[in-house]
Amino acid sequence: MSYQISVSSPQMSAANNTVFSPLTFILTGIPGLPMSNYWIAFPLSCLYLLMLLGNCTLLWTIKTDFTLHTPMYSLLSMLALADLGLSVSTLPSMLGIFWFESTSLHFDACIIQMYFIHSFSAIESGVLVAMALDRFVAICYPLQYASILTGTLIMKAGGVIFMRGVCVVLPVAVLIKKLPFCRSMLLSHSFCLHQDMLRLACGDVRVNSVYGLTAVILTKGLDSMAILLSYMMIVRAIMSTTSHESRVKAFSTCVSHLCAVLVFYIPLISLSIIHRFGKHLPALTHTLMADAYLLVPPILNPFIYSWKTKQIRRRILTIFHWRGAQRLA
């Protein structure tokens, strides 16, 4: 559905000079498969339930166990909240396609979804930076750790990360809302992304492209550099210790965070490269990379930290053991 704004002169054909401003975008499922596919819908629903259960269990465990009320686990709670927000932003449209063949999404709703996806992505990137700095202080300045990373500082850092994600992405949504659209309204994903929407615009998109690139540099670009710099200093500090056992112990405290960084940035970088340089690749490649970018981190992060963090693993096992004992009683 669309409405028309004529920009033609009296001497020109209206059919060739009509700009369409869409009311709806058409979302795409998985290329080559029917829209309504229960073999895809059911596993996808299970993955979302697994993501919700994992992150909510993580949050509940950290909240109820007072031994986990430390800067590291406060940041882990922020990561879980960002993962929940990122997944919930895509949940309605993705499940709607495969369960109900609901492929139409209102223009404003598409912009709102795009805004939340990119905002939560920027927030998660910022949290990963804060967690890298937490590991840097813990390893390089262990005696000053408690005095440097206070609860107040962590709360302020969380507020800054949140506001940065909200404010940096807001102009992206405002700018794209002002663009005219005159091409096919068919998106290449089952959710709305900025790059995907921008390619359908028929107006001048230079400002949008420049600001979009600037926003990526100011968030993911600076964040990745900060994480890299933090780990360079961490490695230098670890290598300066003489005890092999101390080196292994220090490095083991960073494994969970390194896995979370790789799980977040590898799909993100791959998706960006494909959008920029992989236009000749099959549509299935674009779809799978975008799905991995939004689905993999929220699903894997709770398992990564539960597996590598003894306190969380012990707490979760205790909860399940207690509930099992209650049922037997």
Side-chain angles (χ1 to χ4, degrees):
M1 184 182 298
S2 61
Y3 63 88
Q4 301 180 1
I5 303 174
S6 179
V7 295
S8 60
S9 63
Q11 293 80 17
M12 299 175 66
S13 170
N16 295 329
N17 297 276
T18 302
V19 177
F20 294 89
S21 184
L23 293 179
T24 57
F25 281 105
I26 306 301
L27 302 175
T28 303
I30 297 179
L33 294 177
M35 287 298 179
S36 180
N37 191 317
Y38 297 127
W39 292 104
I40 299 295
F42 183 73
L44 187 62
S45 299
C46 292
L47 286 176
Y48 269 113
L49 289 175
L50 189 63
M51 178 276 300
L52 290 172
L53 179 63
N55 284 286
C56 289
T57 301
L58 194 62
L59 288 169
W60 186 81
T61 302
I62 294 173
K63 181 180 179 181
T64 55
D65 191 340
F66 291 101
T67 62
L68 300 179
H69 291 186
T70 61
M72 174 183 172
Y73 295 108
S74 296
L75 293 171
L76 183 55
S77 298
M78 296 180 194
L79 183 68
L81 288 172
D83 281 335
L84 284 170
L86 192 61
S87 297
V88 171
S89 299
T90 63
L91 176 63
S93 61
M94 292 189 74
L95 293 184
I97 290 173
F98 294 110
W99 279 115
F100 311 110
E101 297 187 51
S102 176
T103 59
S104 298
L105 191 63
H106 192 274
F107 181 56
D108 291 333
C110 194
I111 290 178
I112 291 171
Q113 184 186 50
M114 178 208 70
Y115 173 74
F116 279 115
I117 288 174
H118 291 294
S119 291
F120 280 116
S121 179
I123 290 170
E124 181 161 349
S125 179
V127 172
L128 289 173
V129 173
M131 296 176 81
L133 295 177
D134 168 82
R135 293 298 84 207
F136 165 72
V137 175
I139 292 174
C140 298
Y141 303 98
L143 299 179
Q144 294 83 25
Y145 179 80
S147 59
I148 294 175
L149 296 179
T150 61
T152 303
L153 180 62
I154 295 299
M155 292 301 294
K156 289 180 179 178
V160 170
I161 291 169
F162 175 78
M163 290 304 299
R164 186 193 69 158
V166 169
C167 295
V168 169
V169 181
L170 184 60
V172 174
V174 173
L175 288 170
I176 203 167
K177 187 173 175 60
K178 297 179 178 180
L179 287 176
F181 290 83
C182 59
R183 300 173 186 171
S184 167
M185 295 303 109
L186 182 65
L187 296 172
S188 58
H189 302 296
S190 51
F191 38 79
C192 300
L193 294 176
H194 178 247
Q195 307 96 316
D196 203 16
M197 295 176 66
L198 205 60
R199 69 180 179 82
L200 302 180
C202 58
D204 188 356
V205 298
R206 285 177 295 181
V207 174
N208 302 71
S209 297
V210 169
Y211 184 80
L213 180 61
T214 303
V216 170
I217 293 173
L218 291 177
T219 52
K220 315 302 183 14
L222 292 180
D223 291 350
S224 58
M225 293 301 296
I227 292 172
L228 179 62
L229 181 61
S230 297
Y231 272 100
M232 288 175 62
M233 292 186 287
I234 287 172
V235 169
R236 187 177 66 177
I238 291 175
M239 297 306 295
S240 65
T241 59
T242 56
S243 171
H244 176 72
E245 183 179 349
S246 298
R247 291 181 183 178
V248 173
K249 185 177 180 181
F251 182 75
S252 66
T253 63
C254 302
V255 172
S256 297
H257 179 255
L258 277 173
C259 290
V261 170
L262 294 176
V263 162
F264 178 77
Y265 276 102
I266 288 178
L268 173 64
I269 294 171
S270 302
L271 181 62
S272 300
I273 292 174
I274 287 175
H275 266 294
R276 298 285 180 181
F277 308 108
K279 296 180 180 179
H280 62 285
L281 295 175
L284 181 61
T285 305
H286 293 256
T287 301
L288 292 179
M289 287 308 307
D291 291 345
Y293 161 56
L294 294 177
L295 289 177
V296 171
I299 292 171
L300 290 187
N301 282 338
F303 292 97
I304 290 171
Y305 279 94
S306 299
W307 169 58
K308 290 299 297 180
T309 308
K310 292 181 180 179
Q311 297 95 320
I312 295 177
R313 186 170 66 249
R314 190 184 302 120
R315 178 68 172 172
I316 293 174
L317 291 175
T318 302
I319 292 169
F320 281 107
H321 177 73
W322 177 73
R323 288 186 175 179
Q326 271 196 330
R327 289 178 181 176
L328 292 174

